[in-house]
Amino acid sequence: MEETQKIEQSILKKYKKEIWNRMIGGIKDYQLILPGDRIAVCISGGKDSMLLAKCLQMLQRHTEIPFELEFLSMDPGYNEYNRQLIAQNAEKLGIPLTIFSSRIFEIVSHSGGNPCYLCARMRRGHLYAKAKELGCNKIALAHHFDDVIETTMMSMLYGAEIRTMMPKLPSTNFPGMEIIRPLYLVRERDVLAWKRYNSLEFVRCGCPLSENAPVCTEKENNGSKRAMVKELIARLRKDNPQVDINIFRSMHNVNLDTVLGYRQGGQIHSFLDHYGQSAGDISIEDDTAQE
């Protein structure tokens, strides 16, 4: 109990500005939690999901908005060490965690093809089904600010489209279910600082196909595209400390007058559709001035 209180105080005092206020700001800005919501908090066992669970539990105690929480962790086939570590951390943080098992790792290891893609789809499906079974209308995921800007950059560099990770969106396969991301404005560096301050250890992904060590390290770079983009943004930030904020803000400030095309509601639109019909069309002189 004493350790749990220390962890809570670190969120409300030492990291109030960096974590607590930013989480509250994101929830308010994007209207993530409404009265009567029943939210399934999905806990993988990593630092982000454990922090999210603790913050939402504390918010439930401090807010006047009535909402309910279910803390879920799916064991897709973790080794015994990782499963115990998840349970121990939940107890340390004072989180009443429900752990349920599946055979996802076993199935994926014999599937061939892209095991990571299949694993992600299966894990999400199991969690959504469990949340629906418990009467939840929302699922809280622990993606943070850095995940958002990295996803934005990856979509441009590798997906040939401009898209971002939304703070909330409806589930396509589970009608009536909505995904929310309460840590949307929280930076990863602050999550790591909170973790170190409280001397906490968390599991990695736990995948038997890629796991080399049982405990999460703070400097993971497995050569993935996301790791490459993370490194690119870090290099750009050395020249311009605001570069990550600018990437984030650009997704709030898309100028449709200066894009060649876009998709909306499954329909493809081109700038030629309305070319010459608006007084605000960019002239050759205006376009040159932007270079």
Side-chain angles (χ1 to χ4, degrees), residues 69-87:
L69 294 172
E70 290 283 353
F71 300 98
L72 301 180
S73 179
M74 183 193 61
D75 179 355
Y78 292 136
N79 60 43
E80 188 60 27
Y81 178 90
N82 281 335
R83 179 162 178 140
Q84 289 183 4
L85 186 57
I86 292 172

Side-chain angles (χ1 to χ4, degrees), residues 29 51 57 64 74 96 107 113 156 208 210 219 244 263:
D29 289 350
L51 174 62
Q57 184 190 54
E64 296 180 356
M74 183 193 61
I107 295 171
M156 297 175 65
S210 62
K219 293 184 179 180
D244 50 357
R263 299 197 312 271

Side-chain angles (χ1 to χ4, degrees), residues 33-86:
I33 298 178
L34 300 175
D37 280 343
R38 185 174 177 83
I39 304 169
V41 186
C42 296
I43 300 174
S44 66
K47 66 185 189 310
D48 305 321
S49 61
M50 282 292 188
L51 174 62
L52 172 64
K54 185 73 253 183
C55 285
L56 288 182
Q57 184 190 54
M58 292 166 60
L59 176 63
Q60 187 182 37
R61 295 202 303 258
H62 288 84
T63 186
E64 296 180 356
I65 299 175
F67 67 92
E68 299 178 74
L69 294 172
E70 290 283 353
F71 300 98
L72 301 180
S73 179
M74 183 193 61
D75 179 355
Y78 292 136
N79 60 43
E80 188 60 27
Y81 178 90
N82 281 335
R83 179 162 178 140
Q84 289 183 4
L85 186 57
I86 292 172

Side-chain angles (χ1 to χ4, degrees), residues 106-115 118:
E106 178 185 346
I107 295 171
V108 168
S109 65
H110 297 93
S111 65
N114 186 339
L118 178 59

Side-chain angles (χ1 to χ4, degrees), residues 255 257-258 271 275-291:
N255 187 342
D257 289 334
T258 59
F271 81 103
Y275 185 75
Q277 299 179 19
S278 170
D281 285 338
I282 296 177
S283 65
I284 295 177
E285 291 79 7
D286 291 335
D287 186 63
T288 303
Q290 293 182 5
E291 296 179 356

Side-chain angles (χ1 to χ4, degrees), residues 53 58 64 80-81 89 94 112 130 138 157 159 173 180 215:
M58 292 166 60
E64 296 180 356
E80 188 60 27
Y81 178 90
N89 280 331
K130 187 67 173 180
K138 290 184 178 178
L157 298 176
N173 297 322
I180 62 172
V215 180

Side-chain angles (χ1 to χ4, degrees), residues 6-43:
K6 174 181 175 290
I7 292 171
E8 292 182 355
Q9 287 301 306
S10 70
I11 295 172
L12 290 177
K13 292 185 176 181
K14 184 171 181 61
Y15 297 102
K16 180 177 181 179
K17 178 181 177 181
E18 295 85 355
I19 294 177
W20 183 255
N21 288 354
R22 286 184 177 275
M23 184 196 72
I24 298 298
I27 290 173
K28 289 182 177 179
D29 289 350
Y30 302 113
Q31 301 176 16
L32 302 185
I33 298 178
L34 300 175
D37 280 343
R38 185 174 177 83
I39 304 169
V41 186
C42 296
I43 300 174

